[in-house]
Amino acid sequence: MRRVTRLSTVAIASTALALSATACGKTSDSGSDSKEASAAIAYDIGGRGDQSFNDAAYAGLAKAEKDLDIKGNDQEPNEGESDADKVQRLTGLARAGNNPVIGVGFAYAPAIKKVAPKFPKTTFGIIDDTSVTGKNIANMVFNEEQGSYLAGVAAAKATKTNKVGFIGGVEVPLIKKFEAGFAQGVKDTNPKVQVRTQYLTQPPNFDGFSKPDLGKAAAQGQLDKGADVIYHAAGLAGSGSIEAAATDGKWAIGVDSDQYNQEGLAKYKAKILTSVTKDVSDAVYNLIKSVKDGKPQSGEVRYGLDKDGVGLSDSNPEYQKMTDLIAAVEKAKADIIAGKIKVKTAP
């Protein structure tokens, strides 16, 4: 698999990711003159190596490359880039013959709106957005609030101080879904538990998804005020919150992928209680497979608890020992699927 652009250097806890920036218009060499089927993803802020959202998308592309006999291409964002840069990137990927072309994250909505009509035979996928639609657009979305509710249940059961924290990367509607579900899960489980909420940045500043030092500082502030479980929805920046919690001997809850199993966070894994997972990997793989099979997905493709599209990981052996916590999580999951619990999508 060839990566065709890179992001500027980011320092992350125990692993250094050397990413050099290049022009966002550069495209892969799997051009339209090649008969080999190819698919491409364009990463969100933080890029590949974020141990979270983008890495989950990459896993889906890698699986498709292996199982479906296709060539995978991926492109990195540039720091502080504009919508015009994204338009250029998607145009280059489509023009090179990739099908589908997938924008990882809602930030690609304006670009896909402009580019998709120009390539009607190419399927465009966008993750976490339903605002832009079209016959050749697949909107891959998740019930993040449901998985976050389960995280709230777990946090309320695990806390010993009755103080837990939520750290959102950027205060946008998508991340407020995580906050809403988490806070509701906590309060429904134990009304005595306090939830402290903090957002790292406000749009149009999206550093809250890419700078671990911001997450680390925010988490340390919550720890200093007595929080002993911290849940983040902050992408790469969230790795800093995990570092802070683990270093302080407190619990961290990861997001998007099972962060207990992320190599870059191995130093802190013992204190990653669980993670709210979004099956971004399968969403990417399923879209690529649908195109390969000649029946491309389009319109809203939703993943919730009922389809295991979101969930709570149990990789940490310490989590597996918490039988009361697990029982509460399983009951909440069943009640959400049955419609007995309606999870809020806004605080």
Side-chain angles (χ1 to χ4, degrees), residues 271-290:
K271 299 307 295 185
I272 300 176
L273 177 64
T274 181
S275 297
V276 174
T277 58
K278 290 170 58 174
D279 204 351
V280 174
S281 175
D282 268 7
V284 168
Y285 176 86
N286 291 341
L287 179 59
I288 295 171
K289 187 176 188 301
S290 75

Side-chain angles (χ1 to χ4, degrees), residues 164-242:
V164 302
F166 171 80
I167 295 175
V170 183
E171 193 167 3
V172 293
L174 174 65
I175 305 304
K176 292 184 84 67
K177 288 175 66 180
F178 288 88
E179 177 195 351
F182 180 69
Q184 185 181 346
V186 170
K187 292 300 182 182
D188 285 356
T189 305
N190 185 351
K192 296 180 180 179
V193 178
Q194 298 176 23
V195 181
R196 300 182 183 275
T197 296
Q198 183 172 348
Y199 283 89
L200 302 180
T201 61
Q202 298 289 324
N205 180 358
F206 285 85
D207 286 350
F209 288 139
S210 63
K211 296 190 174 181
D213 60 321
L214 296 179
K216 183 177 180 179
Q220 192 59 59
Q222 293 188 343
L223 292 164
D224 290 345
K225 293 178 181 178
D228 62 350
V229 184
I230 295 179
Y231 170 43
H232 84 86
L236 180 60
S239 64
S241 70
I242 291 174

Side-chain angles (χ1 to χ4, degrees), residues 2 27-34 36 38 71 73 93 96-98:
R2 183 181 174 195
T27 58
S28 74
D29 58 3
S30 61
S32 57
D33 57 340
S34 172
E36 183 181 21
S38 59
K71 178 170 182 170
N73 297 295
L93 289 171
N98 294 290

Side-chain angles (χ1 to χ4, degrees), residues 319-341:
Y319 177 93
Q320 296 174 25
K321 295 176 184 177
M322 300 178 183
T323 54
D324 288 347
L325 183 155
I326 292 173
V329 167
E330 290 302 317
K331 184 179 186 305
K333 178 180 178 179
D335 286 347
I336 291 171
I337 293 173
K340 295 179 180 179
I341 296 176

